[in-house]
Amino acid sequence: MMPLSQWSIIALLSLASLANSFSHDFQSDNSEIRQIRSVKRIARQLPVETSATQFRKKRDTSADATCVEQKKTVDSINSSSVFHRNIIADEKLSELSVIWLSETGQDLMILSTDDFEEVDVETGATKHYFQRATVLISHDGGKSFLNQSADFRDSGIPKHDGVFPNPVDHTMVVIVGLQTSGQSVLHVTHDGGKSWSKIQLDVMVIGEVRFHPMKEQGHLFLFQSSKGETFVGSCKQLKATKLMDGRVTKFDWSLNSQPSAFLFTSTDGVIRRATITDIGRPALKVVMEKALSFGVAGKFLLCTVPASWDANERILRVSTDLGEHWNDAQLPSLTPDRVSATKSA
């Protein structure tokens, strides 16, 4: 059993440690109290009306060269531009298309159209009815509009695949009008909407009207009929000529100085080149047979053909002279699932 004197010593040490802990906590509390009192004393010295929001000041930009330059630019734009809001009265235009007709932005066209269809209960046939379009044209940047809807009253303009502006020459636009006789009329302008001409067709146009991608030949465009026939038209010569009777599954322009288009029929795997030096007498020539697919990438004409050693493999061929000569791409033989990715690359 431990002597009493040792128990006394342990008790005294424990009491001393506890007292020291209380003293440290007390000092910490006193330190926090002193800080709080100091903040309150500073706050009492501030004016009564001072608040946190009053310390926020507007940044002075007079000495900031960047802001000064930006302000000058904005002031210049505001002083030289005319902001105009045009309200078209007595028109319920639920859907609008805006087409720019010049590079300057002064010529523009607003077109509103709608269509709906009705199914004959007895025959099950679907009849399409096209609401007459509203065509408004401005030549002063939208400050005033001229209603030219009367020039388009002989046909209806569908909401989809109805208006085709030239991507390389904004002054040229083709509007496809559908007539109740089942034929189409092309409304064409090549002067930014100042004048419109018509190309009457004996077929119905469906799908895309594709302009030539080079500005020198940008007046030429391709389109197809509901029967799969392929035509070439001109905004300047105001005529359209049939290129091919058969059902062309894909067509595209070549990026060559000589105006040429390529037509592909998947039924027989033939790629044909249409040379259009004279739009009235285009010349067709077969440039590849037994093709499985084709595409145009810049000045390159691409196609895939079956490999001679395995019908399930493909060979990618490339031509740089409008299909006159072909070279096999230096690639491994391709399986069908790899053809699209390779051509995209």
Side-chain angles (χ1 to χ4, degrees):
M1 186 172 183
M2 188 178 295
L4 180 62
S5 59
Q6 292 181 355
W7 281 108
S8 300
I9 293 171
I10 293 173
L12 290 174
L13 291 174
S14 299
L15 290 173
S17 175
L18 182 62
N20 184 42
S21 176
F22 285 150
S23 175
H24 178 75
D25 294 341
F26 180 75
Q27 290 176 359
S28 298
D29 293 342
N30 283 343
S31 176
E32 294 178 0
I33 292 173
R34 285 195 297 271
Q35 291 178 2
I36 294 173
R37 288 177 177 175
S38 176
V39 171
K40 289 183 177 180
R41 184 167 58 255
I42 294 173
R44 285 196 298 270
Q45 295 174 359
L46 295 174
V48 177
E49 65 275 9
T50 302
S51 63
T53 57
Q54 289 174 318
F55 283 104
R56 299 175 185 169
K57 294 183 180 181
K58 183 178 180 181
R59 186 164 62 92
D60 185 7
T61 61
S62 59
D64 192 329
T66 302
C67 292
V68 171
E69 190 64 28
Q70 292 175 349
K71 186 176 184 302
K72 288 181 180 179
T73 302
V74 173
D75 291 342
S76 174
I77 294 174
N78 291 337
S79 62
S80 60
S81 301
V82 178
F83 296 94
H84 181 78
R85 185 176 71 173
N86 188 294
I87 299 177
I88 304 172
D90 301 327
E91 289 287 353
K92 297 180 180 179
L93 307 180
S94 58
E95 294 189 17
L96 294 176
S97 297
V98 179
I99 299 97
W100 300 105
L101 301 175
S102 67
E103 298 287 349
T104 63
Q106 293 298 304
D107 304 292
L108 63 133
M109 176 175 65
I110 293 180
L111 184 142
S112 172
T113 186
D114 196 8
D115 66 351
F116 61 94
E117 60 184 26
E118 180 181 71
V119 178
D120 191 319
V121 179
E122 296 181 358
T123 63
T126 301
K127 298 180 180 180
H128 292 270
Y129 298 89
F130 299 92
Q131 180 181 349
R132 301 308 183 200
T134 300
V135 181
L136 306 171
I137 295 181
S138 173
H139 298 293
D140 54 11
K143 290 186 288 185
S144 62
F145 283 89
L146 177 64
N147 193 326
Q148 291 190 270
S149 304
D151 296 337
F152 299 85
R153 290 304 185 199
D154 60 344
S155 60
I157 304 173
K159 289 189 300 184
H160 308 291
D161 294 332
V163 182
F164 298 94
N166 190 322
V168 296
D169 189 344
H170 295 302
T171 63
M172 297 183 186
V173 178
V174 172
I175 298 179
V176 178
L178 302 180
Q179 299 173 320
T180 56
S181 61
Q183 300 174 334
S184 293
V185 58
L186 302 181
H187 302 274
V188 178
T189 181
H190 59 83
D191 56 8
K194 295 180 176 63
S195 63
W196 291 87
S197 302
K198 297 179 182 179
I199 303 176
Q200 181 64 52
L201 304 173
D202 58 0
V203 296
M204 178 179 287
V205 177
I206 61 169
E208 177 187 8
V209 172
R210 187 174 302 177
F211 280 95
H212 197 287
M214 298 179 66
K215 193 166 185 177
E216 298 79 7
Q217 303 159 10
H219 64 97
L220 299 173
F221 55 88
L222 298 171
F223 63 93
Q224 286 187 307
S225 72
S226 57
K227 299 179 181 179
E229 303 160 313
T230 306
F231 293 77
V232 59
S234 171
C235 289
K236 292 183 177 180
Q237 299 181 30
L238 299 177
K239 64 170 61 174
T241 303
K242 185 187 299 185
L243 291 179
M244 188 171 171
D245 290 329
R247 180 168 292 278
V248 176
T249 53
K250 188 175 181 181
F251 59 90
D252 209 343
W253 288 105
S254 69
L255 291 180
N256 194 284
S257 57
Q258 181 181 3
S260 302
F262 294 104
L263 315 175
F264 174 66
T265 53
S266 59
T267 53
D268 56 3
V270 175
I271 302 175
R272 295 173 174 85
R273 184 185 70 222
T275 304
I276 312 171
T277 53
D278 182 355
I279 191 174
R281 294 182 299 174
L284 282 178
K285 180 180 180 180
V286 175
V287 295
M288 177 59 68
E289 296 180 341
K290 298 181 180 180
L292 299 172
S293 63
F294 108 103
V296 178
K299 295 184 178 181
F300 297 96
L301 176 61
L302 312 173
C303 77
T304 57
V305 297
S308 58
W309 57 88
D310 189 344
N312 292 321
E313 294 189 0
R314 310 287 186 260
I315 297 176
L316 179 64
R317 289 184 173 173
V318 183
S319 175
T320 58
D321 56 2
L322 302 177
E324 291 294 333
H325 302 89
W326 295 86
N327 294 304
D328 292 348
Q330 299 302 312
L331 295 170
S333 57
L334 304 174
T335 54
D337 59 323
R338 298 173 58 192
V339 171
S340 298
T342 304
K343 291 197 299 180
S344 300

